[in-house]
Amino acid sequence: MTLIAAGTMVLEDRVCKPGWLATAAGRIIDCAPGPAPRPPDHDFPDHVVVPGFVDMHVHGGGGASYTDGVSSEIEQAAEFHLRHGTTTTVASLVTGSPDDLLRQVRVLTEVTRQKTVAGVHLEGPWLSAVRCGAHDSTLMRNPDPAEIDALLDAADGTIRMVTLAPELPGSLDAITRIADAGVVVAVGHTDASYDDAKRAIQSGATVGTHVFNAMRPLHHRDPGPALALLEDPRITLELIADGVHLHPALVRQIIEAAGPRRVALITDAMAAAGLPDGSFRIGAVEVEVTERVARVRGRPTIAGSTATMDQLFRTVVGQLGGSDEALANAVRMTATTPASALKLDHVGSLRAGRDANCVVLDNNLGVHTVMRDGSWLPRR
């Protein structure tokens, strides 16, 4: 058994000063507020210990991409984000040809079985060409039952989430089909009306993909999908709170209106995360990064992000006032809520029975060290 103590530790939804937890065989076996019951094996009196971050929407990082279908690249990207505190990664793919998607899913299925990532997110190909963002609009298509079944069969249970545009022909049947397979359905990259989005929710959609980005904007006579997603308590709202995709005031208002139990912070990071400005790709789409902002080459369209989860964690704690409540809410939005949205009941909080995944943060909320499945990541 390993005993860990810290001057500040967020256990479940509670900020404990101090707090401790005990691990064995990769799991948390006990935890409580207050001083440790014996001298700890690892003591962090001047640090903050929080659950490992859960990123439910990320395309790559550290110069590597999940979208190329190469095992070594997938491992490199996952390792990069792990060092920034993301102990649970769902690898996001972008729109591609049927053959390419099948190949990528098969590779990610094997990598998921090795526990490098926690599953696959299909962001496309069943998206709106009008709201394509950094996807190749020429490869977008309407949902096809045969293609859906082929991808689900190839994944063998490793697809965790599918993003689609509910206004496309056949989309409501597709939502039902995918949800019945135990896969989370998200509404995104969509030109849907308010009523289209409501029908998608009634059919089984439970997530809004990077809300407000790549979807019909809110208008007082045509509220579009964003309002339908915001007002329904069944929906988890993905937000990219990097200061680029959404104005900080809007982020605060969404968190206040919906509550942190419905907000999941995502990076939507691409290969450029952690690297200097330059030229990159997301799938087949060329991307230029200037001053850490990624855009489709030759267009003003934002193309994913260069953020990491620890960056988003620090940003949101600051935006919410830096209090203990802000700390607890940031933990929920970077770990507990995304884990719940994806039905990952073994991660997302520090409590007995969960995987021993935690991040030790310094006084500036920078990553000091990371534990995954009970093992400390080697320090660099």
Side-chain angles (χ1 to χ4, degrees):
M1 184 182 78
T2 299
L3 189 64
I4 301 166
T8 301
M9 184 175 289
V10 183
L11 301 175
E12 301 188 27
D13 286 334
R14 183 177 178 184
V15 178
C16 305
K17 296 183 176 183
W20 61 271
L21 61 84
T23 73
R27 293 289 184 111
I28 298 171
I29 58 171
D30 199 4
C31 60
R38 64 169 175 80
D41 302 290
H42 303 278
D43 194 9
F44 303 101
D46 301 318
H47 292 74
V48 180
V49 175
V50 300
F53 304 133
V54 178
D55 196 349
M56 61 191 288
H57 188 154
V58 52
H59 298 282
S65 173
Y66 299 126
T67 63
D68 292 334
V70 179
S71 295
S72 59
E73 289 245 335
I74 295 165
E75 292 167 1
Q76 180 180 335
E79 170 75 8
F80 167 78
H81 285 290
L82 177 59
R83 291 193 173 277
H84 287 272
T86 299
T87 54
T88 302
T89 292
V90 174
S92 299
L93 296 177
V94 295
T95 297
S97 70
D99 288 344
D100 282 345
L101 276 180
L102 272 173
R103 176 182 58 83
Q104 293 162 358
V105 165
R106 288 185 177 119
V107 173
L108 278 168
T109 295
E110 291 304 313
V111 176
T112 301
R113 288 175 177 145
Q114 296 163 12
K115 296 187 176 181
T116 303
V117 298
V120 184
H121 165 214
L122 293 180
E123 189 183 19
W126 311 301
L127 308 176
S128 167
V130 178
R131 306 290 176 186
C132 62
H135 292 247
D136 186 342
S137 61
T138 66
L139 294 174
M140 291 178 175
R141 47 200 181 268
N142 296 333
D144 174 68
E147 183 177 26
I148 292 169
D149 289 347
L151 288 165
L152 291 174
D153 288 346
D156 191 26
T158 62
I159 293 177
R160 291 285 180 183
M161 184 166 67
V162 173
T163 295
L164 54 72
E167 72 274 19
L168 299 179
S171 64
L172 296 185
D173 288 341
I175 291 170
T176 301
R177 192 183 204 95
I178 294 165
D180 285 349
V183 177
V184 173
V185 180
V187 172
H189 284 275
T190 175
D191 199 40
S193 68
Y194 172 85
D195 289 334
D196 288 332
K198 295 290 283 186
R199 284 189 286 268
I201 296 168
Q202 290 303 116
S203 296
T206 57
V207 171
T209 292
H210 43 53
V211 174
F212 283 106
N213 295 118
M215 61 177 57
R216 182 188 294 197
L218 190 67
H219 186 276
H220 58 286
R221 286 189 296 272
D222 179 16
L227 182 59
L229 296 167
L230 288 165
E231 71 181 1
D232 196 303
R234 294 171 291 183
I235 297 297
T236 298
L237 308 164
E238 288 186 353
L239 299 183
I240 312 173
D242 61 352
V244 175
H245 286 77
L246 297 170
H247 192 284
L250 181 61
V251 172
R252 289 193 299 270
Q253 287 302 312
I254 293 173
I255 294 170
E256 182 177 337
R261 294 177 183 274
R262 288 186 54 209
V263 173
L265 301 184
I266 61 165
T267 63
D268 197 18
M270 42 88 73
L275 295 184
D277 291 353
S279 299
F280 300 88
R281 284 187 307 108
I282 296 182
V285 176
E286 299 292 329
V287 174
E288 289 292 333
V289 178
T290 303
E291 296 182 350
R292 311 309 308 138
V293 178
R295 299 186 187 275
V296 176
R297 180 176 292 172
R299 292 163 50 192
T301 304
I302 299 173
S305 88
T306 61
T308 55
M309 287 296 282
D310 60 320
Q311 173 191 336
L312 300 185
F313 185 92
R314 287 190 294 275
T315 298
V316 168
V317 169
Q319 289 177 347
L320 297 181
S323 64
D324 284 354
E325 181 182 10
L327 182 65
N329 287 341
V331 164
R332 177 160 284 281
M333 293 184 288
T334 56
T336 316
T337 296
S340 176
L342 293 177
K343 306 172 187 176
L344 298 172
D345 58 7
H346 60 291
V347 297
S349 64
L350 300 181
R351 66 173 69 182
R354 300 292 174 98
D355 289 356
N357 297 341
C358 65
V359 186
V360 181
L361 303 170
D362 61 27
N363 284 332
N364 296 316
L365 301 183
V367 175
H368 174 73
T369 190
V370 178
M371 172 180 277
R372 183 169 185 254
D373 294 334
S375 297
W376 296 107
L377 205 63
R379 297 288 300 276
R380 285 185 175 177

